[in-house]
Amino acid sequence: MPYNVGPLRSQTEIDDFLFWLRRTANPERDTFLFLFGINTGLRMSDIVKLQVKDIAYSSRPIISEQKTGKKKQLFLDSIQELIQNYIQGKENDDYLFPSKKGGNVEVNTVYKIFQNIGKELGREDIGTHTLRKTFGYHYYRKTRDIATLMELFNHSSEQVTKRYIGITQDEIGTTLADFKLGF
């Protein structure tokens, strides 16, 4: 079976992930990174490059996406308290997610941390896209607004977005759960 990263589909799965994040070598950074990611839907490459000044002074800052080069507005209203607590005492030019070696933590380092947590949880579907997919999955479940989610993710179609967040498989499974013929 091919490897495929999936979302954390329940609050219990999110809580279990947080449990292990709080036991990493850098629990404050890693926990904030996770919470920031599942509440923004950003790609990991965009998250790790952020500096304090990028999010300290506005609940709706604009960043440039690494992958596309496009400008993207973030909507951080709901996590302002979390952000302000995390950045307290940090300088404007500090990376939000610093590496022990200096600079920002690398995407590959985050991937390794997440892979280790995935092993602890007995899951093979955990990766850096888990955060983005978790955001999308829960946003869609709460709002059923696939058009806005498609726009947030910059996807070309609703089908791409549904497949990306794992909704397509969920919906197929639900419709087939009680389907049987010849009984």
Side-chain angles (χ1 to χ4, degrees):
M1 185 171 156
Y3 177 78
N4 191 18
V5 172
L8 300 172
R9 288 180 163 82
S10 70
Q11 186 61 50
T12 300
E13 289 179 346
I14 292 170
D15 291 342
D16 290 347
F17 206 88
L18 284 165
F19 173 86
W20 289 106
L21 280 170
R22 292 182 180 118
R23 282 142 185 84
T24 64
N26 197 332
E28 182 187 22
R29 178 199 69 191
D30 298 343
T31 300
F32 180 70
L33 183 146
F34 173 79
L35 290 171
F36 189 84
I38 66 171
N39 282 285
T40 62
L42 287 176
R43 290 181 189 91
M44 189 58 63
S45 58
D46 293 325
I47 292 172
V48 299
K49 299 286 186 199
L50 290 172
Q51 293 178 294
V52 171
K53 64 185 172 191
D54 295 327
I55 65 167
Y57 305 107
S58 173
S59 61
R60 298 200 176 173
I62 296 173
I63 64 164
S64 292
E65 291 183 311
Q66 292 284 117
K67 182 177 180 181
T68 66
K70 294 180 181 177
K71 298 287 185 193
K72 179 178 185 78
Q73 184 172 25
L74 305 183
F75 297 90
L76 306 177
D77 307 77
S78 65
I79 60 170
Q80 275 304 298
E81 185 177 346
L82 178 70
I83 290 170
Q84 294 308 314
N85 288 338
Y86 180 76
I87 64 173
Q88 193 170 29
K90 293 177 175 46
E91 300 294 324
N92 275 340
D93 290 331
D94 289 349
Y95 282 103
L96 279 178
F97 309 104
S99 169
K100 291 179 187 174
K101 300 172 185 174
N104 59 296
V105 67
E106 297 290 327
V107 172
N108 195 46
T109 302
V110 176
Y111 175 78
K112 289 176 186 175
I113 292 166
F114 286 6
Q115 283 287 288
N116 289 334
I117 291 172
K119 287 177 188 170
E120 293 291 345
L121 297 172
R123 293 182 61 157
E124 295 181 1
D125 65 340
I126 301 295
T128 56
H129 278 265
T130 295
L131 280 63
R132 185 170 164 87
K133 290 183 178 197
T134 298
F135 168 84
Y137 181 87
H138 288 276
Y139 179 86
Y140 177 73
R141 284 288 184 214
K142 182 176 181 175
T143 66
R144 295 286 193 235
D145 183 358
I146 197 69
T148 298
L149 188 56
M150 189 179 105
E151 178 79 18
L152 285 168
F153 282 173
N154 199 24
H155 285 167
S156 58
S157 74
E158 291 182 5
Q159 292 78 13
V160 167
T161 302
K162 281 185 166 186
R163 191 174 344 112
Y164 180 78
I165 63 175
I167 293 294
T168 303
Q169 288 305 108
D170 283 0
E171 289 175 346
I172 292 169
T174 300
T175 61
L176 293 175
D178 294 327
F179 184 82
K180 55 186 167 190
L181 299 171
F183 288 93

